Amino acid sequence: MSQGVLRMPRLSDSMSEATIVSWLKQPGEPFLRGEPLLEVETDKATVVYEAEEDGLLAEILVSEGGTATLGEPIARLGGADGDQERTETARPVAASSAKPTTTIDFRTAVREALDEELAADDRVIFFGEDVAVAGGVFAVTTGLYEKYGRERVFDTPISELALAGAAFGAAISGLRPVIEIMFGDFLTLAMDSLVNQSTKYWYLTGEQVPVPLVIRSVVGAGGRFGAIHSQMPVSWFMGVPGLKIVSPATPGDAKGLLRSAIRDDNPVLFFEHKRLYGVVGEVDGDLVPIGVARVAREGTDVTIVSAMNGVHEAMKAAEILFADGIVAEVIDLRTLRPLDIPTILTSVAKTNRIVVVEEGPLTGGWAGEVIARVTEEGLGDLDDAWRIATANSPVPYSPPLEDSFLPSAERIASEIRARRR
């Protein structure tokens, strides 16, 4: 097989060179499209670069700790199509007229949702840090800038407060802005505009002026990004009236919920867990209603409630428990504000036990809100109720510590076994 070349990709609009932190594949190892290939430290952040197509890592040209300029060859690759060279060129955006059902990854589902809504409504605009020319730090928005132009898809300075303020102004002026706050940890910098202006304006104008804006943001731990780039900021916003919080776990929901969020007349926080971008699933392209949970697995013995990556850990835990004769029901909340309490109560009436799995600190988390609502409205059906969350401490950077910090399938299964005795 002849070899192609992987060149140092453009991972921010201002980078001229970058340092390779670690290779996540070794020579001779194959990889699939969307799989992490290497960690790169740019002038702005440490970024995980993911494969843009299937291939094989043939030879590493720049070793860990080495620096390469933009476009410089960093590895030789073997691919299914032989000689094709890998560059930083963006992948084409999927056509809006997709087949009724396709199998794609989470990242592509988000891109397709943005593409289709931009195509369907000229009022939709999309902007943020490195989302246009570079296609996003996680390569989610590649091709949109080339397709829709700088008037509708554009990069901005590094100012989260300015981003949120511009989105608010655009929304009340008749546009439907979608912005990206690169990491959810930086939403604190946008709090004033989002919490004190965007979420209250419809109320303050006597329900006359809607604020149709969406904030996309990457959240969650497990990617070795350290304490300041791995947080789960849901609890910071749970008590804000006028705000919706969407948290998909599957590609189908990522696409369907993002399309619904863009069409909503209220401010929506749309959280994308960084560990889900490579997850593959079926997508039919239909709108998914905000505020409706999904029963991901039916069961009779215990109800496991979670969101985002926690749903996948819950599903794995259910498989482990099934081998022990415990049949767990798994509920994917899909939306954290508003919560679909009726779906949870229906499940608890059947199982009489509920455990809520949250990636986030135990104190003040959304899991406590779920338990409180179920206790208030379904106490007569409850035999047991508890939460599985993270410790009240920052997210560790050390891989073994980070893994043990998160609510794993093994921990979920172990706690359920222990409480069933």
Side-chain angles (χ1 to χ4, degrees):
M1 179 188 296
S2 57
Q3 297 174 322
V5 177
L6 173 63
R7 299 177 182 275
M8 178 59 75
R10 182 185 295 278
L11 299 171
S12 80
D13 57 358
S14 59
M15 69 172 275
S16 58
E17 62 179 21
T19 300
I20 295 175
V21 177
S22 64
W23 284 96
L24 304 177
K25 292 288 183 180
Q26 296 303 312
E29 291 186 346
F31 52 81
L32 300 175
R33 178 176 178 268
E35 270 197 283
L37 279 182
L38 68 156
E39 286 183 290
V40 180
E41 183 180 359
T42 72
D43 56 331
K44 293 185 177 179
T46 300
V47 181
V48 175
Y49 177 78
E50 297 174 333
E52 297 188 11
E53 57 188 77
D54 298 351
L56 177 119
L57 184 60
E59 179 186 3
I60 292 174
L61 302 178
V62 179
S63 59
E64 295 179 356
T67 298
T69 58
L70 180 65
E72 179 182 341
I74 58 176
R76 297 192 185 281
L77 303 170
D81 52 359
D83 297 332
Q84 187 157 11
E85 186 178 75
R86 309 274 181 96
T87 71
E88 67 273 18
T89 304
R91 292 191 300 273
V93 177
S96 297
S97 55
K99 295 179 181 179
T101 301
T102 55
T103 300
I104 57 177
D105 61 24
F106 193 100
R107 171 187 289 101
T108 304
V110 172
R111 185 186 305 120
E112 284 190 359
L114 290 167
D115 180 22
E116 291 177 16
E117 293 305 306
L118 283 161
D121 190 340
D122 289 342
R123 296 173 299 170
V124 177
I125 58 173
F126 174 52
F127 56 95
E129 300 163 11
D130 294 332
V131 301
V133 176
V137 169
F138 292 90
V140 176
T141 57
T142 54
L144 296 176
Y145 170 75
E146 290 81 0
K147 184 171 184 178
Y148 294 99
R150 65 180 62 201
E151 295 299 317
R152 299 187 62 200
V153 178
F154 51 91
D155 291 320
T156 66
I158 303 176
S159 175
E160 286 74 15
L161 182 58
L163 273 168
F168 170 63
I172 64 174
S173 300
L175 297 177
R176 306 189 76 87
V178 182
I179 68 171
E180 179 181 308
I181 302 294
M182 190 180 294
F183 287 90
D185 313 70
F186 305 143
L187 282 165
T188 51
L189 299 168
M191 281 281 199
D192 181 60
S193 180
L194 177 61
V195 174
N196 288 328
Q197 298 175 40
S198 298
T199 61
K200 296 177 175 61
Y201 199 72
W202 184 71
Y203 168 78
L204 293 173
T205 59
E207 303 181 359
Q208 297 299 305
V209 183
V211 187
L213 69 87
V214 176
I215 298 179
R216 292 180 47 247
S217 198
V218 174
V219 298
R224 320 315 186 199
F225 281 82
I228 304 176
H229 292 76
S230 302
Q231 296 172 94
M232 184 62 70
V234 175
S235 60
W236 306 348
F237 298 96
M238 280 296 289
V240 180
L243 182 66
K244 296 181 179 180
I245 303 175
V246 176
S247 51
T250 66
D253 285 344
K255 182 173 182 178
L257 284 167
L258 182 54
R259 292 184 62 209
S260 292
I262 295 171
R263 298 182 182 203
D264 200 289
D265 284 334
N266 300 277
V268 179
L269 273 176
F270 191 90
F271 288 142
E272 300 164 21
H273 199 295
K274 58 176 68 73
R275 293 176 69 189
L276 297 181
Y277 278 137
V279 170
V280 174
E282 289 190 356
V283 176
D284 60 17
D286 291 342
L287 295 173
V288 176
I290 293 174
V292 179
R294 173 179 70 98
V295 178
R297 179 187 177 116
E298 294 190 356
T300 55
D301 296 326
V302 61
T303 299
I304 309 175
V305 178
S306 195
M308 291 179 277
N309 192 58
V311 174
H312 298 272
E313 295 300 322
M315 293 291 283
K316 294 174 188 175
E319 288 291 336
I320 296 171
L321 291 167
F322 187 76
D324 297 333
I326 299 172
V327 185
E329 182 149 299
V330 178
I331 294 179
D332 175 4
L333 287 174
R334 302 202 286 194
T335 305
L336 295 171
R337 182 182 175 96
L339 288 165
D340 182 0
I341 298 300
T343 294
I344 302 171
L345 290 173
T346 299
S347 179
V348 170
K350 177 172 55 174
T351 67
N352 307 124
R353 294 174 177 84
I354 181 173
V355 54
V356 185
V357 179
E358 175 182 4
E359 182 185 323
L362 183 69
T363 301
W366 58 263
E369 176 67 15
V370 173
I371 294 292
R373 293 285 303 277
V374 171
T375 303
E376 288 173 351
E377 301 177 38
L379 184 60
D381 293 318
L382 274 180
D383 290 335
D384 199 3
W386 77 102
R387 296 169 290 169
I388 296 176
T390 65
N392 292 319
S393 64
V395 181
Y397 174 75
S398 160
L401 291 178
E402 185 177 34
D403 289 343
S404 64
F405 177 82
L406 295 170
S408 65
E410 291 75 18
R411 178 185 167 191
I412 298 167
S414 177
E415 289 203 19
I416 291 174
R417 281 197 212 97
R419 296 182 76 116
R420 286 274 295 173
R421 291 172 185 165

